[in-house]
Amino acid sequence: MSSYLKSVREWATPTLKSSAFLSRGVLTPEEFVAAGDELVYKCPTWSWEGGDPTKAKSYLPLDKQYLITRNVPCPTRVSALENSIATGGDGTAHIDDECDGEDWLVSRIVSVEEQAKIREQELEDGFDILDEEGEIMGDVQDKMAAVQVDDTKADAAAVGAAEEDDDEDEYADMADFEDDNVLEDEAAVQAAPAASASAEDNIRKVRTYDLSITYDKYYQTPRVWLMGYSADSNQPLTGDEMMQDVMSDYANRTVTIETHPHVSGPHASIHPCQHGAVMRTIVRNLTASSSSDEGGEDGGTGKAPSIEMYLFIFLKFVSSIIPTITYDFTQSVTASTAKSK
């Protein structure tokens, strides 16, 4: 019933004819196709699909009904990153004039490099070494020097012990030595096939996703769809399993299980009700950033991004919702989602 009502609503909505990219963050069908062409050109992992002709939308070309990228790796679950999330400040979009006044939070994931620095700092803070007088060393270089001195002493002791062992074993029974070697060689031969088999086991198998992008006529924005596959059997994931790869703020709220308009099987879909508002905010901030980079005064008008950049910006923002699904959007996009004052 819900799908039927949605289809009726979309059918009754007139097709957007005039560009409202800068003012509302939305696209006409023609602009969606232009942005999709640029994505396919810059990122060959994406391609256009026509799908079932009986399900084709009349406002889009028959061979460009939706975009798709297949076998996208998803190496970790989102829960592994949840403790590394920083929200608020420039990383949060507060958009309360769309979708029943609810805020749209775009989370910022702490990068691997930042996490490594944090761990190094924690290790350094907890790394206390006593000097010869029993006092704690405060300087990192002093600590490292002390460790190197201890290592040198340990190496010298090891060398001395080895020399003593050589003297004691100088006249060891060579027959025993040969027997030991034979046993070791036989063991190595027997272990060789097992080692070869384990090398294949060391190839990491991960979940994969097919991501597709359709044009939502009602909301006049792109809409992302996800179909996941298990690492071991390549079987489709259940809805609950796919939600494991969605930030918890959005799982079963902004991201729900829906019926894809072109592809069979249940898909996880990012609801597009706030896409236009978020995109409008990002585009305005990109324009303002361009103005400041060009030395413009406050209030000056900068260079707005082109329609062709839309999907690159869009996919960048979507990556904050599904951060562990590593799809390609190539272009480097950096923009705040906070509202401009």
Side-chain angles (χ1 to χ4, degrees):
M1 186 57 144
S2 175
S3 298
Y4 173 75
L5 291 175
K6 287 177 181 177
S7 63
V8 170
R9 181 183 66 181
E10 181 172 304
W11 172 82
T13 302
T15 304
L16 182 65
K17 299 295 184 183
S18 303
S19 178
F21 168 52
L22 299 179
S23 60
R24 293 169 45 216
V26 297
L27 295 176
T28 66
E30 292 77 16
E31 288 172 334
F32 173 70
V33 171
D37 285 344
E38 186 71 7
L39 178 66
V40 170
Y41 174 70
K42 293 286 181 63
C43 305
T45 54
W46 289 90
S47 62
W48 282 109
E49 291 283 339
D52 185 347
T54 62
K55 298 180 179 180
K57 309 298 182 182
S58 60
Y59 45 83
L60 292 171
L62 286 176
D63 60 342
K64 295 183 178 180
Q65 292 288 305
Y66 63 98
L67 292 151
I68 190 165
T69 180
R70 294 182 172 88
N71 300 317
V72 178
C74 180
T76 58
R77 307 288 69 77
V78 156
S79 58
L81 294 178
E82 294 261 311
N83 61 350
S84 301
I85 300 169
T87 57
D90 289 341
T92 304
H94 294 286
I95 299 169
D96 53 13
D97 54 355
E98 304 277 343
C99 247
D100 302 324
E102 294 183 0
D103 278 356
W104 180 269
L105 301 180
V106 178
S107 304
R108 180 178 70 84
I109 303 297
V110 178
S111 68
V112 175
E113 292 77 10
E114 289 177 293
Q115 294 182 47
K117 289 180 181 178
I118 293 171
R119 286 195 295 269
E120 288 176 5
Q121 185 61 47
E122 290 174 348
L123 178 61
E124 181 181 311
D125 292 342
F127 184 40
D128 291 334
I129 293 182
L130 302 181
D131 60 17
E132 293 180 357
E133 298 179 359
E135 299 294 331
I136 296 177
M137 293 183 179
D139 185 77
V140 177
Q141 292 182 349
D142 290 343
K143 293 178 181 180
M144 296 308 297
V147 171
Q148 290 172 356
V149 168
D150 290 341
D151 288 346
T152 302
K153 292 179 179 178
D155 290 344
V159 170
E163 290 177 351
E164 291 178 6
D165 289 341
D166 288 344
D167 291 341
E168 293 174 1
D169 296 340
E170 185 175 353
Y171 302 105
D173 189 342
M174 292 303 293
D176 293 341
F177 178 74
E178 289 175 1
D179 289 342
D180 289 343
N181 273 351
V182 168
L183 292 174
E184 288 176 6
D185 289 344
E186 289 176 353
V189 170
Q190 293 172 1
S196 177
S198 65
E200 207 165 297
D201 294 338
N202 287 335
I203 298 174
R204 188 181 180 191
K205 297 179 180 179
V206 299
R207 285 183 179 181
T208 59
Y209 275 85
D210 291 346
L211 270 71
S212 56
I213 306 173
T214 60
Y215 178 79
D216 191 291
K217 183 185 172 189
Y218 181 77
Y219 289 104
Q220 301 166 345
T221 65
R223 181 169 188 165
V224 171
W225 303 82
L226 312 168
M227 171 62 86
Y229 300 91
S230 64
D232 298 326
S233 59
N234 201 37
Q235 293 298 309
L237 299 176
T238 65
D240 289 340
E241 288 172 331
M242 286 191 281
M243 290 302 160
Q244 295 171 356
D245 299 316
V246 177
M247 296 297 289
S248 59
D249 286 342
Y250 309 113
N252 296 308
R253 295 174 59 197
T254 305
V255 182
T256 53
I257 303 302
E258 306 279 351
T259 301
H260 195 289
H262 298 283
V263 184
S264 61
H267 284 62
S269 178
I270 302 175
H271 198 273
C273 70
Q274 299 187 38
H275 287 1
V278 173
M279 289 299 294
R280 179 188 60 203
T281 300
I282 295 175
V283 167
R284 286 179 178 176
N285 289 336
L286 280 171
T287 304
S289 175
S290 172
S291 176
S292 61
D293 289 344
E294 293 171 4
E297 297 179 0
D298 292 342
T301 302
K303 183 179 179 181
S306 65
I307 290 294
E308 288 75 16
M309 281 292 293
Y310 188 102
L311 285 177
F312 296 102
I313 301 170
F314 175 76
L315 288 170
K316 175 68 173 178
F317 126 67
V318 166
S319 69
S320 68
I321 303 172
I322 46 173
T324 60
I325 303 177
T326 56
Y327 55 85
D328 183 19
F329 53 93
T330 302
Q331 299 280 350
S332 176
V333 178
T334 305
S336 169
T337 53
K339 278 192 171 180
S340 302
K341 296 182 179 179

